[in-house]
Structures are given as C-alpha cells and as structure tokens.
Amino acid sequence: KKIKDNLIRKAKVKRSYNKIKEKESVAIPKYYSEQPPPAIIHVDQTPASMELHPARQAMLEEPEISKPPSTTRPSPQARGKRFRRPKPVPYEKERRLAQQRNEEKDARREAAEKARLDRQHKFEERERFRKAMAKARTGGKNGQRKLGRESKVLLEKVQNLVAE
C-alpha cells in the first residue's frame, strides 16, 4: 500500500510539473528558446484529471486482506522456471564407494559376531552336557550309574538334535 501511495504521489507531482512547464514555455517567445521545435506528434491532449479511476478508487478503499504465507513451495515448473540440474558434488563417487565398503564391513562384523555367539552358545551347551553326564556316571551309594539322571540328559540332547 505504501508503494502504491508513493507511485500515485509521484504521478501527481509529474503532472503538476508538466503543467507548470507548459505555462512557462507559452510565456517565453519561440525565438528565445534554444531547443528546436518538437516533432509533430498526434496525442490525445485531454487535460489529466486529479481523480482516480473508479476501479482503482474501489481497490484503494477496499480493506487489505493479508494472505497467510503458504507452507509449501510451488514447484519450479508451476512458477515457470526451468529445472536446474543439481550442482556437481566433488568426490561423490568416492563417497558412495566408501559408504558401500563401510556397509559391507558392518555386515561382515555382524556375521562374525553372530557366529562367535553361536560358537559360544554351543560350547556352553556341550560343557553343561559334559558336566551333567559326569555327574550321572558317578556311582551312587552302591557304586552303580545313576540312570535317571543320565536318561534326562540324553533325552534333552536328542530333542535338541531333532529340533535342528
């Protein structure tokens, strides 16, 4: 609105300046003027009125409605601009290769960790089985093997083998 008011004020000043200039040029005789006569131009020379056009006046009197700023940006095609290719990033290929190597290294590390845990679990299982069998083999009161203990350990071993 300030810009519009400023433009209107400047236009009014120009018009009044041109009117004053015309009056002064009429007062000075032609032979005193140093400028050559202007070329003949046929222009509608109706006096400019200081009133605004009704449509413009209505627009100025209308209350200003502020639009909320949109959160989404229109696409470049919607704004009439050409699509720009992204700026080339130096060492992009090397960065991608390094990232791929790191991912492969992480995958190998995870596989090795999983294998290590699996080996450790199997070792602990074997050790537990060995201790249970050693305890079952020891003689009871009369020196005989404890078959109840041994059968439970063997049954668990068979169930694990069948489950795999």
Side-chain angles (χ1 to χ4, degrees):
K1 184 165 176 131
K2 290 180 184 179
I3 296 171
K4 197 181 290 183
D5 291 339
N6 191 16
L7 289 173
I8 292 170
R9 187 181 55 79
K10 284 182 180 180
K12 288 179 183 178
V13 169
K14 278 186 180 180
R15 283 188 200 133
S16 63
Y17 175 74
N18 287 337
K19 284 182 183 178
I20 293 171
K21 194 173 179 183
E22 278 183 34
K23 287 180 185 176
E24 287 179 3
S25 67
V26 170
I28 301 173
K30 287 186 178 180
Y31 52 88
Y32 284 110
S33 69
E34 297 174 353
Q35 298 176 354
I40 298 172
I41 302 173
H42 297 287
V43 180
D44 187 17
Q45 296 277 335
T46 58
S49 67
M50 295 305 284
E51 293 181 18
L52 294 174
H53 191 271
R56 179 173 276 191
Q57 185 67 32
M59 187 173 68
L60 287 175
E61 291 173 359
E62 194 174 282
E64 188 173 316
I65 301 170
S66 63
K67 292 182 180 178
S70 62
T71 56
T72 60
R73 291 181 138 186
S75 67
Q77 289 81 12
R79 288 183 276 150
K81 293 186 177 181
R82 287 181 43 211
F83 175 73
R84 280 192 182 176
R85 214 190 276 172
K87 195 173 185 180
V89 180
Y91 308 112
E92 178 66 23
K93 186 176 178 182
E94 288 80 358
R95 187 188 62 77
R96 272 188 281 127
L97 291 173
Q99 184 178 5
Q100 185 179 5
R101 281 194 306 267
N102 286 339
E103 289 171 358
E104 290 171 358
K105 186 170 58 171
D106 291 342
R108 284 194 306 270
R109 184 181 305 127
E110 288 175 14
E113 182 68 19
K114 184 180 175 188
R116 186 187 65 79
L117 289 173
D118 195 30
R119 279 193 309 271
Q120 184 179 357
H121 179 70
K122 285 183 179 180
F123 175 76
E124 290 170 356
E125 186 69 25
R126 280 194 308 270
E127 191 65 23
R128 189 175 62 82
F129 177 74
R130 187 187 64 77
K131 285 182 179 178
M133 286 301 287
K135 195 170 189 179
R137 283 190 191 114
T138 59
K141 294 179 183 177
N142 56 2
Q144 293 181 341
R145 297 173 88 174
K146 300 174 187 168
L147 294 177
R149 278 185 176 263
E150 195 173 330
S151 66
K152 288 178 186 174
V153 175
L154 290 172
L155 178 64
E156 186 181 333
K157 186 175 183 181
V158 169
Q159 285 175 341
N160 287 342
L161 289 174
V162 170
E164 291 175 0

